[in-house]
Amino acid sequence: MQLTDVKIIKASPDVVWAAILNPDVLMQCVPGCQSMTGSVEDGFEATVKQKIGPVSATFSGVVKLSDIDPGRAVTISGEGKGGAAGFAKGGAKVVLEPVPEGTQLSYEVEANVGGKIAQLGSRLIEGFAKKMADEFFNRFADAIEAQRVGQPLGGVDGDDDGPPSQGRGLHGHDGRRCGLSDTAGPRAD
């Protein structure tokens, strides 16, 4: 299944690009992500817990960034295995373009599942995939827009003052931490 959408983020493309490459931001904005380790160059290992209809599973897998066009585009791909529940794999092609309001982030997501999860039916799975993509990119946009002007993204500039739980995180629209500054002001919609 394929999903596409466009978000306008009230920040420069440089700020948005830095956030895409920041593992703290990626981890905190992936719904259900319990851990993520690794690097942009080598990829990330992640553990994500999700419930899809009646099936609940913890997926262990890898996330890789590829087709990197610095400041303009990247493909984020992931594949995870959830034991008896089955597997999930997919990717998002992300393109950034400067617009008067800040940055237009366009994405095209493709997702596939197998095993017990695939038996749930395409309508439920498509709804879940759309919800996951929307939630990730909404958290991502919220985190960037809530960032205080001039405040660097946590960990991007080499300033590592601890994990998000020690003050670098920002709560997204649903209360989850999104890996940016706690001192940011409110988002203006």
Side-chain angles (χ1 to χ4, degrees), residues 127-147:
F128 177 78
K130 178 172 180 12
K131 178 183 167 223
M132 288 286 289
D134 287 347
E135 194 169 339
F136 173 84
F137 286 106
N138 285 336
R139 287 179 179 184
F140 184 76
D142 287 350
I144 293 170
E145 290 178 2
Q147 170 192 340

Side-chain angles (χ1 to χ4, degrees), residues 21-32:
L21 299 180
N22 185 327
D24 289 337
V25 175
L26 293 177
M27 180 181 136
Q28 297 302 322
C29 294
V30 171

